[in-house]
Amino acid sequence: MTVDLIISTYKPDDGFVRLVDAMAAQTVAPGKIIIINKEEKYFDRLLFNGRFMDNHKNIEVHHISTNEFDCGKSLNQAIKYSEADYVLLMKQDA
């Protein structure tokens, strides 16, 4: 059984980092963590403050603009990036 985690983000912060760390430590860890991020410039700020991507080699980030973002449509696209048996959909503030 394989599980991928899909997280929709906008201006991710330290709480988002803690969320990913906690999900990666679960008994059944996600095979891939697919992030659909609205506005790349805000995600880049997170990367400058630490080793987030180094600590999570299974992360795949897809940036979209605010104009392109549609919650259902964007998550549906993210599901297409997964080949897992199951996907777990979350928002960064969940």
Side-chain angles (χ1 to χ4, degrees):
M1 172 183 75
T2 57
V3 178
D4 284 346
L5 173 61
I6 297 172
I7 307 173
S8 172
T9 62
Y10 178 62
K11 295 184 180 180
D13 57 14
D14 291 337
F16 168 73
V17 173
R18 288 190 305 275
L19 165 70
V20 172
D21 288 342
M23 294 306 293
Q26 296 297 309
T27 303
V28 177
K32 274 200 295 190
I33 299 173
I34 301 166
I35 299 170
I36 298 297
N37 180 65
K38 186 167 40 164
E39 297 303 332
E40 184 173 1
K41 63 186 174 187
Y42 299 119
F43 193 85
D44 287 345
R45 287 184 195 165
L46 176 71
L47 297 180
F48 291 130
N49 294 330
R51 306 191 71 129
F52 179 71
M53 296 299 281
D54 291 340
N55 293 336
H56 299 284
K57 300 289 187 193
N58 62 337
I59 286 186
E60 183 178 302
V61 182
H62 300 272
H63 299 289
I64 57 175
S65 70
T66 300
N67 294 337
E68 294 174 298
F69 183 79
D70 172 285
C71 189
K73 193 176 191 180
S74 299
L75 291 175
N76 187 51
Q77 180 59 43
I79 290 170
K80 293 178 182 178
Y81 296 130
S82 173
E83 295 178 6
D85 299 321
Y86 299 94
V87 294
L88 175 63
L89 303 171
M90 298 183 79
K91 291 180 63 176
Q92 78 187 47
D93 56 358

